[in-house]
């Protein structure tokens, strides 16, 4: 898994340790600890311009994974359609299937001369909406492409949701990992969308605490009620000491979040430079800690061939992007995902090994 190779802030560990020592070790309330619900609401007001009532609009979940699953199980009836952009995070097809839903993929097209980042055709998106459409399941910043949906794109998606009376579920786990010129916008903050958006996020990537699995869903009151009932019978509660620690993290000063993003600007550059030295093409990204290498442009037949070679010859693990596409979609075989959530020494070692590969195949 592409988990950060950095530790979470000490102040957060201390909060968790203290709560454990103080005996706060029993079940926490089903909607989540009041301290964390308040912190989630304050964070949404500070960074996303959203007005969130912590009592009535937040559910704390076991990571964003449970937040998305709760939304799907709560809202999708068997046969209902869920629109997703393809490539998609690999958990979504399984989660949609758990709910008995039917996935309707809409293509994200790779960057080209006319499009600086992955893009969708509004006509293709509009054509995917139909009488059985229940949800649009979005992810921005986007895994695996590194795309950050622009406000204009989100407005277009929102307009279709309004026209077809459809709910948007937006997975924003990389919300604080964006690059200069590409601020993250929550679709739930757009006019008319607060009433029909479930915003899902978690502390995993923002605080380098993926193992804690503390996430949240923000939803308008009626939808939040549905989420709560679903959450009650999936995990019911999330570890209390870790919730308190994440609430301390969400209250960290702006400088914490700025430095997180700046660290990734540097690491992204380091990896792109290393790839360029051996003529591997990775289009610029707008967010996340992933880069996609275009294996066709780099002279490989398929993503799997590239991954095997990387693993066997230089010991670098990469992810074949066919995992993020519908089976047999040719576009899926064109890309390989690299994660750069690693310290400089690891990125430097990767750069050295890439040079070795270049010599082997040069
Ligand atoms: N959504 C996306 C798009 C992800 O990339 C990940 C982590 N790989 C998750 C959700 C999982 O988040 P969490 O650990 O908070 O459940």
């Amino acid at each position: 898994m592409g988990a950060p190779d950095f530790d979470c802030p000490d102040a957060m560990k201390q909060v968790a340790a203290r709560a454990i020592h103080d005996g706060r070790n029993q079940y926490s309330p089903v909607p989540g600890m009041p301290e964390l619900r308040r912190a989630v609401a304050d964070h949404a007001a500070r960074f996303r311009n959203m007005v969130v009532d912590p009592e009535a609009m937040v559910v704390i979940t076991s990571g964003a994974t449970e937040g998305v699953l709760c939304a799907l199980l709560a809202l999708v009836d068997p046969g209902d359609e869920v629109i997703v952009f393809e490539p998609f995070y690999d958990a979504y097809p399984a989660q949609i299937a758990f709910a008995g839903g039917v996935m309707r993929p809409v293509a994200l097209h790779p960057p080209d001369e006319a499009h600086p980042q992955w893009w969708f055709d509004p006509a293709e998106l509009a054509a995917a909406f139909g009488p059985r459409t229940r949800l649009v399941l979005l992810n921005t910043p986007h895994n695996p492409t590194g795309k950050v949906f622009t406000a204009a794109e989100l407005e277009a998606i929102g307009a279709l949701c309004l026209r077809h009376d459809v709910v948007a579920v937006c997975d924003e786990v990389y919300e604080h990992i964006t690059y200069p010129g590409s601020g993250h916008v929550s679709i739930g903050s757009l006019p008319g969308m607060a009433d029909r958006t479930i915003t899902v996020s978690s502390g995993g990537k923002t605080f380098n605490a993926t193992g804690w699995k503390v996430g949240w869903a923000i939803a308008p009151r009626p939808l939040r009620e549905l989420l709560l009932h679903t959450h009650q019978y999936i995990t019911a509660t999330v570890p209390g000491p870790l919730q308190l620690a994440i609430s301390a993290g969400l209250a960290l000063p702006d400088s914490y979040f700025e430095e997180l993003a700046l660290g990734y600007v540097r690491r992204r550059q380091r990896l792109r430079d290393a790839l360029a030295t051996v003529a591997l093409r990775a289009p610029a990204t707008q967010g996340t800690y992933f880069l996609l290498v275009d294996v066709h442009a780099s002279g490989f037949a398929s993503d799997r061939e590239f991954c095997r070679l990387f693993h066997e010859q230089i010991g670098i693990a990469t992810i074949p992007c066919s995992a993020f596409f519908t089976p047999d979609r040719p576009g899926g075989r064109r890309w390989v995902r690299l994660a750069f959530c690693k310290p400089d020494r690891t990125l430097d070692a990767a750069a050295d090994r890439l040079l070795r590969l270049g010599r082997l195949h040069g």
Side-chain angles (χ1 to χ4, degrees):
M1 288 203 222
D5 234 341
F6 313 107
D7 210 352
C8 72
D10 265 345
M12 294 174 63
K13 290 191 215 169
Q14 281 161 16
V15 171
R18 196 174 325 120
I20 291 169
H21 279 296
D22 288 351
R24 301 183 73 171
N25 296 310
Q26 309 310 321
Y27 291 134
S28 59
V30 171
M33 309 262 300
E35 293 89 339
L36 180 54
R37 281 185 281 134
R38 156 67 52 204
V40 165
D42 290 349
H43 172 270
R46 171 158 63 133
F47 289 105
R48 308 285 162 242
N49 201 20
M50 285 164 70
V51 181
V52 175
D53 176 350
E55 299 300 320
M57 295 171 62
V58 180
V59 184
I60 304 305
T61 56
S62 180
T65 305
E66 195 210 336
V68 171
L69 182 63
C70 282
L72 290 164
L73 291 177
L75 295 173
V76 174
D77 286 329
D80 282 350
E81 294 182 7
V82 178
I83 294 175
V84 296
F85 287 99
E86 181 175 18
F88 37 73
Y89 177 50
D90 56 349
Y92 297 161
Q95 293 187 321
I96 292 167
F98 290 159
V102 176
M103 190 169 78
R104 282 295 305 257
V106 171
L108 284 177
H109 302 287
D112 55 32
E113 292 77 40
H115 305 91
Q117 65 162 330
W118 287 73
W119 57 282
F120 63 88
D121 178 343
E124 286 176 7
L125 177 62
F129 279 79
R132 291 305 303 264
T133 309
R134 182 72 177 113
L135 292 182
V136 177
L137 175 52
L138 270 175
N139 165 221
T140 181
H142 184 257
N143 177 8
T145 63
K147 171 183 175 61
V148 175
F149 283 72
T150 64
E153 288 174 324
L154 295 171
E155 275 160 20
I157 297 166
L160 286 164
C161 289
L162 285 162
R163 188 174 320 145
H164 294 273
D165 192 18
V166 160
V167 170
V169 176
C170 195
D171 173 347
E172 308 188 350
V173 295
Y174 301 99
E175 60 182 307
H176 285 288
I177 306 176
T178 58
Y179 299 109
S182 306
H184 168 69
V185 175
S186 285
I187 190 168
S189 70
L190 299 180
M193 288 305 288
D195 285 347
R196 57 176 64 252
T197 301
I198 299 175
T199 306
V200 175
S201 191
S202 80
K205 278 72 179 177
T206 300
F207 302 113
N208 303 319
T210 54
W212 289 6
K213 294 296 285 187
V214 176
W216 54 88
I218 297 172
R221 286 176 181 74
L223 295 183
R224 190 267 198 171
E225 281 304 301
L226 298 177
L227 288 181
L228 200 55
H229 292 312
T230 315
H231 164 69
Q232 180 168 6
Y233 296 110
I234 300 180
T235 57
T237 68
V238 174
L242 302 181
Q243 292 190 52
L244 294 173
I246 294 288
S247 50
L250 289 172
L252 286 170
D254 290 358
S255 55
Y256 172 79
F257 301 91
E258 287 157 12
E259 279 159 28
L260 177 82
L262 282 175
Y264 280 119
V265 172
R266 226 174 13 82
R267 289 178 206 112
R268 182 185 62 158
Q269 192 58 44
R270 233 180 167 97
L271 183 57
R272 285 191 87 208
D273 289 349
L275 292 170
T277 57
V278 287
L280 289 176
R281 285 202 30 201
T285 48
Q286 291 70 40
T288 77
Y289 45 61
F290 302 117
L291 277 174
L292 293 190
V293 170
D294 182 343
V295 300
H296 288 178
S298 308
F300 293 84
S302 78
D303 57 338
R304 284 173 196 278
E305 179 194 315
F306 180 100
C307 292
R308 198 172 310 114
L309 180 98
F310 254 52
H311 187 245
E312 284 171 3
Q313 300 210 357
I314 54 172
I316 294 179
T318 56
I319 305 280
C321 280
S322 39
F324 303 102
F325 284 82
T326 318
D328 300 328
R329 196 81 90 198
R333 293 194 287 275
R334 180 175 160 191
W335 303 96
V336 162
R337 196 192 74 182
L338 275 67
F340 54 88
C341 43
K342 307 288 158 194
D344 289 350
R345 64 174 185 287
T346 309
L347 296 177
D348 288 346
D352 287 346
R353 291 181 192 196
L354 280 169
L355 283 175
R356 210 162 68 211
L357 181 76
R359 279 196 296 275
L360 280 172
H361 292 269

